[in-house]
């Protein structure tokens, strides 16, 4: 049996029979994982720097790609100018960083300005408004953008090449006729695998929360480890090469941030919620790791550093599971080459941040946009915490991945992004398991993906989960 | 009874267990012709395309009654088998989960034995491998220990590792086994200490060390200090430093014995600080951080003299070998006063050695009030570093001697105070006249 659109099973009820005793065991398929997350590991922890270096590095690195993209789009005879060399009424191309000026953006200065007696800003899910403005910044100057470039769908930090004119009578504004982003970089050819190999993505386990789904998670683990299902399905499950846990394995409830402010006598003898949750997670991981390769990414609520790139959870947090060499603790964002297929993704923080600061609603669409912009997390460091890099920006997409995923989304969605050079990227949004009970299964041979839903309807359990919708 | 529980209890493959359950249901139903058991089934399949045309591989555990309806809702059923059998109807999946969970906990690493998929790569790492992995993280520590006492600073103490090491080496050379002299400050004294420290370090038991050198007395005290936590250790050390090496050393040795110290930092500084630093003393994080700061200063100012970096960060480089740090308050000061000097954080040692008007960073004991883990307010005496211009050796500050064991014989008036736990600036030991500036020292 295969996990495809037309699975063929000869005997699904094979186990509704007398015990025969001829149980075959299947071997887990092998999997060559090469982790490339070295570039996301922090070598030194110098937080004394400003973020300007990061922005300038980003601009410098992407400028060359953008120049070639611009020439390709508008012809090689166009003029590329820096802002300080702009001539009025000259149609040219300017390359720079976008900055979106938002009134509602939470500002620390406003928060601490007492004299106005301002109330603290209400927490809204979106910080956009209709008066947002787009500003283009290059190395030396900045200029307001009007025109074709939509404000609502853009975010700060994207490097863009705009083609337009600064009119004489309206200095200070650049009228955009057209714009373009970095072209999708080259993609390694998709290796042809003879056998079906599956990669399973799961995220948002949120252990420790009230809506934690222990039973369904156990079903998932049993499925992957080959305990559930009839022999044919187990054979198919044996082709699952690796499981990627993409963040938020612990839930928000385990973060007790107020212990610092609460009085000691109130917090005496209380143990952090994350301790129990980690032990629970370790239990699940040890079952998984005993049977397959597992990659664990830290997420927003995991006990890890807040700024991107999040460093791997330490091995000592999984005392049982770490005994298996198949457990890999990885950074967030994560990149690896699995059997020749480049997989890149995050635990969902960049996507969520873009959602907050733009009018884009759909997680998959946002993920697609990041691919288009050529940058994994453009809003870092503006609104998304980021390490102050000095001479590199590891979030720039330098090679085109085959699979781009983002965890902790609302629903399972996938689509294939086609690049200008014939690149095909599977863009995958992995839903939160605690809400949907769904994991994503990707066939590495065909780059097809399917959701796997786990539910139970015993007694009063109401696990009738809506079928995951997906955009094809 | 779930299939998984059955397979692990009877040691059969999980598929066999499922079949056994099925057979059981069959038998019971046929024989008894009544239905007092209820079963849940596991069913999985490709669902029919929903609104957006998505097909999902759904898997569900459902009670028997719903089996039919579920089968219909799937386009293709990929598997179906018995999940569990129980006497009463289940209220929710909790019971099933807990059964399996408990069974799993009994046998954590073999939970996969009866599964149908085996993975070759997933072999438990052996103990050695695990240790290798942990070794990698703490490489310095081990080597440090073995190495010269200076290394002692080891990983535990971040603060002064470098300076401590340097100082250690410096000291060692100097003091080779010389009996502890009053003039701790002299290099040899230090060296002796270091030497002592070295042997001490290698062994956890201080007592062993005591043998090697009398001079160690100081060192040992320092080392022993660690385990007790900064303050306490300080006191004993202080005590020992004094000129009574013999007595001191003996004392110290005892102390160390009690205290498990892996690394003996014998650095001259009697300061317990050092010892505290050496060992991972989470007891005194405050101390350590303070030390660290002071150490840095010390290190900076100290041109690599043997100042034991660890605890004594305060002492600026004294022209003369710091040696005096630990125990020998005297060396620093023209007055070889003993014990009292030692009390004074080594600072004096360095500084006092010669320049009267040098800026001396001294360690003195102040009262610190804080909340401990139980929520109680605690006032404790803590060594704080302070910087002053003192023209003579600062008066040895008496630290509370937490350890009664530490008795400084005849150290001088100052020492006696130590048992009292009252820091009393000891001016008695100071040979020099205290200047008026002492009055204006910040306290």
């Amino acid at each position: 049996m295969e996990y495809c659109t037309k699975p063929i099973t000869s005997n699904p009820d094979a186990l509704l029979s007398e015990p025969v005793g001829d149980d075959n065991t299947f071997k887990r398929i092998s999997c060559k994982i090469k982790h490339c997350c070295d570039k996301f590991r922090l070598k030194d922890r110098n937080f004394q720097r400003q973020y300007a270096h990061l922005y300038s590095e980003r601009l410098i690195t992407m400028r060359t790609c953008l120049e070639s993209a611009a020439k390709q789009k508008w012809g090689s005879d166009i003029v590329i100018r820096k802002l300080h060399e702009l001539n009025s009424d000259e149609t040219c191309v300017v390359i720079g960083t976008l900055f979106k000026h938002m009134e509602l953006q939470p500002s620390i200065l406003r928060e601490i300005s007492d004299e106005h007696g301002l109330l603290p800003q209400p927490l809204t899910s979106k910080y956009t408004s209709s008066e947002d403005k787009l500003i283009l910044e290059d190395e030396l100057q900045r200029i307001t953008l009007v025109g074709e470039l939509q404000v609502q769908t853009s975010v700060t930090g994207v490097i863009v090449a705009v083609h337009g004119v600064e009119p004489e009578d309206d200095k200070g504004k650049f009228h955009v006729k057209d714009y373009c982003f970095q072209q999708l970089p080259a993609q390694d050819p998709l290796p042809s695998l003879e056998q079906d190999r599956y990669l399973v993505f799961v995220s948002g386990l949120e252990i420790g929360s009230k809506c934690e789904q222990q039973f369904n998670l156990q079903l998932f683990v049993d499925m992957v480890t080959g305990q559930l299902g009839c022999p044919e399905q187990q054979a198919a499950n044996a082709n699952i090469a690796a499981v990627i846990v993409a963040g938020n394995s612990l839930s928000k409830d385990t973060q007790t941030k107020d212990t610092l402010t609460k009085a000691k006598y109130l917090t005496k003898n209380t143990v952090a919620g994350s301790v129990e949750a980690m032990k629970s997670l370790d239990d699940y991981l040890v079952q998984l790791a005993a049977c397959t390769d597992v990659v664990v990414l830290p997420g927003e609520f995991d006990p890890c550093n807040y700024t991107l790139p999040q460093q791997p959870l330490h091995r000592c947090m999984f005392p049982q599971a770490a005994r298996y060499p198949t457990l890999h603790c990885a950074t967030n964002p994560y990149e690896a080459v699995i059997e020749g297929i480049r997989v890149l993704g995050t635990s969902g923080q960049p996507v969520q941040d873009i959602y907050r600061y733009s009018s884009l609603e759909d997680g998959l669409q946002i993920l697609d946009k990041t691919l288009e912009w050529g940058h994994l997390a453009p809003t870092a460091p503006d609104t998304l915490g980021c390490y102050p890099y000095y001479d590199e920006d590891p979030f720039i997409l330098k090679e085109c991945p085959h699979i781009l995923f983002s965890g902790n989304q609302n629903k399972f969605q996938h689509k294939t992004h086609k690049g200008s050079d014939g690149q095909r990227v599977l863009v995958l949004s992995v839903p939160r398991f605690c809400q949907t009970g769904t994991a994503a299964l990707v066939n590495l041979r065909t780059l097809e993906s399917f959701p796997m839903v786990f539910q139970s309807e015993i007694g009063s359990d109401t696990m009738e989960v809506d079928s995951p919708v997906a955009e094809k | 009874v779930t299939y998984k529980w059955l397979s692990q209890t009877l040691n059969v493959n999980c598929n066999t267990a499922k079949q056994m359950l099925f057979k059981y249901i069959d038998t019971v139903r046929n024989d008894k012709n009544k239905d007092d058991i209820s079963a849940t089934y596991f069913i999985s399949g490709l669902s029919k395309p929903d609104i957006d045309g998505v097909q999902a591989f759904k898997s569900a555990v459902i009670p028997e009654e719903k089996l039919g309806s579920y089968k219909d809702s799937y386009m293709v059923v990929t598997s179906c088998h018995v999940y569990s059998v129980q006497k009463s109807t289940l209220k929710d999946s909790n019971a099933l989960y807990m059964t399996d969970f408990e069974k799993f906990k009994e046998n954590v690493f073999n939970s996969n034995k009866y599964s149908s998929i085996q993975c070759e790569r997933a072999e438990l790492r052996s103990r050695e491998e695990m240790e290798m992995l942990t070794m990698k993280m703490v490489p310095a520590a081990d080597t440090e220990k073995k190495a010269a006492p200076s290394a002692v600073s080891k990983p535990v103490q971040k603060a002064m590792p470098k300076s401590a090491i340097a100082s250690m080496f410096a000291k060692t050379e100097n003091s080779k086994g010389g009996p502890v002299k009053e003039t701790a400050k002299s290099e040899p004294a230090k060296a002796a200490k270091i030497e002592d420290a070295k042997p001490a370090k290698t062994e956890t038991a201080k007592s062993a060390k005591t043998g090697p050198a009398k001079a160690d007395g100081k060192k040992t005290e320092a080392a022993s200090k660690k385990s007790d936590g900064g303050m306490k250790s300080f006191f004993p050390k202080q005590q020992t430093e004094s000129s009574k090496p013999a007595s001191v050393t003996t004392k110290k040795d005892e102390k160390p014995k009690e205290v498990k110290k892996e690394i003996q930092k014998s650095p001259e500084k009697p300061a317990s600080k050092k010892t505290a630093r050496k060992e991972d003393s989470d007891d005194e994080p405050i101390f350590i951080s303070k030390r660290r700061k002071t150490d840095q200063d010390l290190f900076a100012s100290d041109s690599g003299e043997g100042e034991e970096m660890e605890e004594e960060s305060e002492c600026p480089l004294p022209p003369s070998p710091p040696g005096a740090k630990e125990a020998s308050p005297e060396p620093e000061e023209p007055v070889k006063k003993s014990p009292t000097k030692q009390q004074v954080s080594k600072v004096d040692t360095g500084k006092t050695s010669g320049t009267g008007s040098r800026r001396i960073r001294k360690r003195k004991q102040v009262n610190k009030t804080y909340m401990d883990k139980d929520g109680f307010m605690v006032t404790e005496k803590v060594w704080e570093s302070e910087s002053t211009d003192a023209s003579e050796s600062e008066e040895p500050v008496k630290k509370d001697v937490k350890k009664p064991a530490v008795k400084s014989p005849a150290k001088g008036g100052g020492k006696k105070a130590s048992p009292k736990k009252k820091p009393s600036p000891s001016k008695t030991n100071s040979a020099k006249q205290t200047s008026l500036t002492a009055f204006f020292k910040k306290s």
Side-chain angles (χ1 to χ4, degrees):
Chain A
M1 185 213 125
E2 288 180 0
Y3 279 105
C4 61
T5 45
K6 289 186 184 35
I8 313 157
T9 51
S10 58
N11 191 3
D13 294 341
L15 290 175
L16 288 175
S17 60
E18 305 255 329
V20 177
D22 62 345
D23 299 305
N24 25 358
T25 48
F26 309 99
K27 247 177 43 156
R28 174 74 61 193
I29 205 164
S30 71
C31 172
K32 286 198 293 285
I33 305 185
K34 185 167 87 95
H35 301 281
C36 306
C37 39
D38 263 351
K39 65 179 177 180
F40 296 118
R41 300 205 71 152
L42 296 175
K43 314 284 180 312
D44 62 342
R45 312 278 161 101
N46 182 1
F47 286 93
Q48 305 290 342
R49 289 193 286 260
Q50 300 232 351
Y51 288 109
H53 302 288
L54 181 61
Y55 277 121
S56 73
E57 182 57 40
R58 197 185 287 181
L59 182 57
I60 291 170
T61 313
M62 293 181 74
R63 184 180 271 279
T64 44
C65 311
L66 275 171
E67 279 179 10
S68 59
K71 287 200 161 72
Q72 216 177 11
K73 185 161 183 188
W74 299 305
S76 45
D77 53 346
I78 49 144
V79 180
I80 300 183
R81 290 231 184 268
K82 298 243 167 89
L83 278 178
H84 62 96
E85 340 169 294
L86 267 187
N87 300 326
S88 304
D89 283 335
E90 185 200 7
T91 308
C92 59
V93 170
V94 183
I95 297 175
T97 315
L98 270 183
F99 178 77
K100 188 166 165 186
H101 180 78
M102 294 173 277
E103 278 305 312
L104 293 178
Q105 181 174 0
S107 157
I108 187 73
L109 297 175
R110 248 180 262 146
E111 270 178 46
I112 60 179
S113 79
D114 290 329
E115 61 259 30
H116 298 293
L118 282 178
L119 296 163
Q121 265 192 305
L123 282 175
T124 55
S125 62
K126 275 200 182 285
Y127 293 105
T128 58
S129 76
S130 47
E131 291 114 26
D132 295 340
K133 289 199 287 273
L134 268 186
I135 296 170
L136 187 76
E137 291 186 5
D138 72 355
E139 290 93 346
L140 299 173
Q141 289 189 0
R142 38 154 60 184
I143 196 169
T144 315
L145 290 180
V146 292
E148 289 297 317
L149 191 51
Q150 294 293 330
V151 181
Q152 297 303 331
T153 55
S154 313
V155 286
T156 306
V158 181
I159 312 281
V160 66
V162 287
H163 179 69
V165 64
E166 184 195 11
E168 180 70 40
D169 51 349
D170 195 9
K171 279 205 198 250
K173 291 215 175 64
F174 192 86
H175 291 251
V176 178
K177 294 209 192 89
D178 200 3
Y179 59 91
C180 85
F181 302 103
Q182 172 191 281
Q183 281 180 318
L184 210 51
Q187 189 187 48
D188 297 332
L190 193 66
S192 54
L193 304 167
E194 336 72 41
Q195 247 186 322
D196 269 348
R197 267 186 172 81
Y198 304 109
L199 204 54
V200 176
F201 294 91
V202 70
S203 84
L205 301 176
E206 304 220 359
I207 296 174
S209 78
K210 289 189 205 54
C211 56
E212 174 192 349
Q213 294 186 9
Q214 292 174 328
F215 189 61
N216 293 345
L217 185 54
Q218 189 61 48
L219 281 186
F220 166 71
V221 172
D222 284 343
M223 180 71 117
V224 172
T225 56
Q227 308 232 3
L228 276 180
C230 70
E232 281 174 352
Q233 187 160 19
Q234 285 169 350
N237 288 339
N239 287 337
I240 294 179
V243 176
I244 297 185
V245 183
N248 280 353
S249 310
L250 263 55
S251 91
K252 191 165 185 185
D253 301 335
T254 59
Q255 289 191 320
T256 42
K257 293 221 166 104
D258 56 348
T259 44
L260 291 173
T261 50
K262 263 186 166 173
K264 271 252 167 65
Y265 68 94
L266 286 173
T267 57
K268 195 170 133 157
N269 290 339
T270 52
V271 179
S274 52
V275 174
E276 280 305 313
M278 277 315 270
K279 289 194 198 147
S280 198
L281 177 66
D282 191 29
D283 286 336
Y284 288 117
L285 285 182
V286 73
Q287 295 177 56
L288 274 180
C291 197
T292 177
D293 279 295
V294 184
V295 180
V296 183
L297 267 62
E300 193 183 342
F301 305 130
D302 288 331
C304 188
N305 53 315
Y306 168 73
T307 55
L308 283 195
Q310 286 181 300
Q311 300 302 291
L313 297 168
H314 196 270
R315 188 173 31 79
C316 68
M317 293 169 90
F318 306 113
Q320 293 164 164
R323 303 264 314 263
Y324 287 103
T326 45
L327 180 78
H328 309 280
C329 296
T331 58
N332 169 30
Y334 175 64
E335 185 171 4
V337 178
I338 302 179
E339 294 285 334
I341 297 186
R342 189 173 286 273
V343 179
L344 173 66
T346 62
S347 296
Q349 290 117 317
V351 172
Q352 202 186 10
D353 206 55
I354 296 175
Y355 168 81
R356 273 202 286 252
Y357 292 101
S358 75
S359 66
L360 299 165
E361 294 280 343
D362 192 20
L364 190 72
Q365 194 188 9
I366 294 174
L367 201 53
D368 202 35
K369 280 264 181 190
T370 62
L371 200 57
E372 204 183 304
W373 291 326
H375 198 272
L376 258 191
T379 51
D382 186 38
T383 44
L384 185 62
C386 178
Y387 175 73
Y389 281 102
Y390 179 65
D391 54 3
E392 53 160 356
D393 183 356
F395 301 111
I396 299 176
L397 288 177
K398 294 226 174 70
E399 288 135 345
C400 186
H402 294 104
I403 301 176
L404 177 69
F405 70 91
S406 169
N408 296 300
Q409 301 303 303
N410 293 332
K411 46 194 181 189
F412 171 85
Q413 287 172 305
H414 68 265
K415 77 180 253 197
T416 312
H417 179 102
K418 295 199 180 49
S420 55
D421 239 353
Q423 301 105 328
R424 295 170 62 91
V425 185
L426 170 70
V427 184
L428 186 65
S429 98
V430 184
R432 294 167 61 191
F433 195 86
C434 66
Q435 272 179 347
T436 61
T438 311
L441 179 98
V442 176
N443 187 340
L444 289 179
R445 186 171 61 93
T446 59
L447 282 192
E448 281 178 336
S449 70
F450 298 95
M452 288 175 81
V453 187
F454 296 92
Q455 48 192 106
S456 68
E457 272 230 22
I458 306 173
S460 54
D461 278 355
T462 48
M463 280 319 309
E464 197 48 66
V465 177
D466 300 327
S467 318
V469 283
E471 303 173 52
K472 285 273 160 65
Chain B
V1 171
T2 64
Y3 76 93
K4 201 152 83 153
W5 187 92
L6 196 66
S7 87
Q8 302 216 336
T9 315
L10 299 181
N11 294 332
V12 296
N13 187 289
C14 56
N15 288 341
T16 317
K18 295 170 197 164
Q19 290 172 322
M20 285 160 77
L21 279 180
F22 177 76
K23 174 142 189 249
Y24 177 77
I25 297 179
D26 231 11
T27 323
V28 165
R29 296 243 170 98
N30 289 343
D31 289 351
K32 304 210 184 142
N33 229 1
K34 59 186 165 90
D35 213 349
D36 60 347
I37 54 168
S38 74
T40 59
Y41 284 80
F42 170 79
I43 184 164
S44 150
L46 183 64
S47 68
K48 299 196 175 123
D50 64 358
I51 331 160
D52 296 320
V54 170
Q55 293 182 295
F57 279 96
K58 292 201 184 178
S59 319
V61 172
I62 46 177
E64 209 171 352
E65 306 82 55
K66 306 201 181 150
L67 192 57
S69 65
Y70 264 78
K71 272 194 178 168
D72 292 335
S73 74
Y74 290 159
M75 200 164 87
V76 178
V77 173
T78 52
S79 56
C80 173
H81 62 77
V82 182
Y83 190 83
S84 77
V85 172
Q86 52 277 331
K87 271 221 151 49
S88 51
T89 338
L90 285 174
K91 294 237 172 32
D92 58 21
S93 54
N94 227 7
L96 294 176
Y97 176 73
M98 288 317 292
T99 332
D100 284 339
F101 182 71
E102 271 149 34
K103 202 72 192 165
F104 157 71
K105 274 316 222 186
E106 284 170 24
N107 196 0
V108 173
F109 290 108
N110 267 338
S111 58
N112 224 23
K113 212 153 77 163
Y114 302 108
S115 149
S116 343
I117 304 180
Q118 302 299 327
C119 180
E120 304 168 320
R121 297 188 301 281
E123 277 168 25
L124 279 177
R125 287 196 180 119
S126 60
R127 262 274 159 82
E128 291 79 31
E129 279 187 44
M130 295 304 288
E131 270 166 32
M132 285 293 294
L133 287 175
T134 47
M135 289 295 280
K136 266 196 298 184
M137 311 305 268
V138 192
D142 294 351
T143 52
E144 292 275 344
K145 288 192 189 157
K146 310 292 171 42
S150 50
V152 181
S153 339
K154 345 5 301 100
V156 188
Q157 315 189 336
K158 308 138 194 193
M160 319 248 261
K162 303 188 189 123
S163 51
I165 299 178
S167 57
M168 291 302 290
F169 279 113
K171 290 193 182 49
T172 46
E173 271 134 33
N174 290 337
S175 50
K176 284 275 172 147
V180 180
K181 289 170 186 170
E182 301 301 71
T183 55
K185 65 175 154 198
S186 56
E187 295 282 349
K190 283 203 201 151
K193 298 217 178 74
I194 299 183
E195 306 254 342
D196 296 326
K198 282 192 203 155
K201 295 205 180 95
T202 49
E203 316 166 55
T204 49
K206 294 245 171 146
S207 44
K209 301 192 186 111
T210 58
K214 299 302 173 114
D216 322 348
K218 302 191 183 147
K219 298 192 187 86
T220 52
E221 18 174 26
S224 42
K225 298 290 170 63
K226 287 192 273 197
S227 46
D228 300 337
M231 293 311 290
K232 293 186 191 159
S233 51
F234 285 118
F235 295 124
K237 282 201 244 197
Q238 303 292 6
Q239 314 273 337
T240 55
E241 308 243 77
S242 49
S243 44
K244 275 75 181 248
S247 51
V248 177
T249 54
T250 50
K251 291 198 174 99
K252 305 247 179 37
D253 297 340
E254 284 146 16
K255 286 195 85 138
K257 276 188 250 170
E258 296 148 10
V259 185
K260 270 190 325 178
K261 285 166 216 220
E262 324 161 65
I263 300 170
Q264 307 232 354
K265 284 195 163 189
S266 52
E268 319 205 326
K269 290 186 185 235
S272 41
K273 290 190 207 174
K274 293 219 188 91
T275 53
R277 236 189 259 245
K278 287 188 211 145
E279 314 230 312
D280 310 45
S281 57
D282 345 16
D283 317 331
E284 303 282 77
I286 309 168
F287 231 127
I288 291 185
S289 56
K290 275 197 280 192
R291 292 295 151 120
R292 192 174 311 183
K293 210 161 53 104
T294 49
D295 284 337
Q296 314 272 18
D297 293 344
L298 193 56
F299 193 46
S301 58
D302 194 358
S303 37
E305 236 182 333
E307 304 265 88
E308 320 293 6
M309 18 206 190
E310 302 155 0
E311 320 289 15
E312 306 282 22
S313 42
E314 352 173 285
C315 310
L317 304 177
S320 57
K325 298 192 222 192
E326 0 181 343
S328 43
E330 345 154 293
E332 308 297 324
E333 312 194 278
V335 184
K336 279 1 172 7
K337 281 1 137 86
S338 41
T340 52
K341 294 291 185 203
Q342 293 179 349
Q343 292 296 0
V344 182
S345 40
K346 326 301 179 87
V347 177
D348 305 314
T349 58
K351 304 181 174 168
T352 53
S353 45
T355 48
S357 52
R358 204 177 333 160
R359 189 142 185 87
I360 300 171
R361 233 173 288 149
K362 201 162 46 161
R363 230 183 38 180
K364 75 175 254 176
Q365 202 167 36
V366 295
N367 281 350
K368 232 188 166 59
T369 309
Y370 61 91
M371 280 268 247
D372 82 347
K373 60 177 167 39
D374 289 319
F376 299 123
M377 301 274 288
V378 169
T379 303
E380 201 184 83
K381 298 204 192 306
V382 161
W383 283 99
E384 288 240 292
S385 172
E386 69 159 24
S387 209
T388 95
D389 278 332
S391 55
E392 72 263 14
S393 43
E394 43 267 82
E395 20 270 88
V397 181
K398 291 196 189 163
K399 292 184 188 212
D400 320 328
V401 179
K402 304 218 182 133
K403 303 209 178 170
V406 183
K407 295 154 214 201
S408 47
K411 288 302 170 84
K415 293 285 174 122
K416 292 192 188 150
S418 40
K420 292 185 195 151
K421 297 210 180 195
K422 279 211 182 148
S424 40
S426 46
K427 300 193 167 112
T428 54
N429 294 335
S430 170
K432 295 197 230 168
Q433 222 177 12
T434 57
S435 77
L436 197 55
T437 58
F439 178 79
F440 296 104
K441 266 192 293 213
K442 17 176 219 210
S443 44

